[in-house]
Amino acid sequence: IANAYRRAEIGGIDVYTQYGGEKYMDAGRIAQESKGLETFKTQPQEFLTPVGREAQIQAQKDFKKWRNTHIANAIDRTLKEGQLSHLDGNSVELNLRETYNGKDWDFKARIDWTNNNDPSQPRRWVLQDFKVVGDLPIKSKLTQDPKKQSKTRVVDYLKNLSPKELEKAGDETYQELSFLAKKPLSSTPLAKEELFKELKGYKHFGHDFTEFRDKGLEALELIAKKKHGQVSGAYYRADLGAIGIGYQLPLSNNTQRGLVDLLAGRGVRDTEANIYYWGKPALEPFVGNTDKEKILRAVDKIIKEGTYSLEEGHHMLSLELPNGQYKLELFPLSLEQPSHFYPTSIGYYKKPRVEESSPSAQGGGSGKADARLELISKTTPTRKATKEDLTEEFLEEVKRRKNDKVWVGDLTNPQNYPTSRL
């Protein structure tokens, strides 16, 4: 398949397959070598072990089909998201690191500038090799290498503070960061290498795992796993500078503290129509065995691909996908150079159906999506829920607003049930 994938660095990438075995040709019976995708099926057994009930059921029905899909998905993600490095003038490699079945895996896709020894064909970028290379099991890494073990014995900064020290750290954080709130960048960000040389983490995030700088998703996964600390400069963007990932600041408002609130979906302005916490609609576009893995991939994609804007003093990254819009708010740790931000809150704006949005588009009322807000109220709902209202999205909203009420009785004997009972 010509130009099956496209990368900005090299252009189109072809993929192909050739089955092996004996074949009858004009010259007689010959043995044909397996090439391309056909050769990628041999991977480590632990990687080819289904994880999760759904995967196990699919593998039991047809293991070859599950295996091929599992490997194809890994290849697809690597070609789309892998970090490119040049091996020589005629070869490049795309690398992607993921966790699966309790181990870290490196996906390596080699792409050659070749015509596969066919003089009649022009040379093109062709996927020639794909390997899954396993690392040590996550749980046993600390016991395998004493040097690595000593590096990972890092004190959880917040848990090590006394109540008085915690209160003081919270006051300092609030004062220092409030001073920067709603201000624009003071100057154009430095180039990445120069910026990283001068960059420092924020003291109230705790230990800075600087060895994970500029590693994006890996840094996110590390901080999510450790549940403390930070990676200053986990990402770099030419328009913003460094974007760090910190787990939790010593703030008491349960929002805008760091990754802990992104994982929980906290900080979104949920009083507006069509805004949801993490749930099936918001996580649908992202790959992962758990919701946590999908959330980390969502944050990673928004940081990398989101469009930056300064909206009423808020530093925002917005990403439009077919199912809706994602917004990630960044808070400045430094607006001088080296500039440094960290993500604080996230929102998912579900894309309304055409029939829901058309009334407002025509100037005739707010539409069904806004009317639905009357169904859930902190005091008394103004409209009874009908069968048509009980969509999957509406039930997700009901689950989230536990202390509000929904009208589900009949007109002669209305009953307002707390949403927590539904």
Side-chain angles (χ1 to χ4, degrees), residues 157 161 164-180 202-205 249-252 331-333 342:
Y157 169 71
L161 296 179
K164 264 193 173 179
E165 290 171 331
L166 188 62
E167 184 179 356
K168 182 182 177 184
D171 290 340
E172 282 184 4
T173 301
Y174 181 78
Q175 290 172 11
E176 290 170 357
L177 299 189
S178 294
F179 179 75
L180 298 175
Y202 184 60
K203 58 184 177 181
H204 290 311
F205 267 132
L249 288 174
L251 298 172
S252 58
F331 205 92
L333 292 168
Y342 79 97

Side-chain angles (χ1 to χ4, degrees), residues 40 42-44 47 71 74 105-108 130-134:
F40 304 163
T42 304
Q43 302 295 348
F47 181 73
I71 295 173
W105 303 92
D106 286 316
F107 300 162
K108 297 177 180 290
F130 179 77
K131 292 179 181 178
V132 178
V133 182

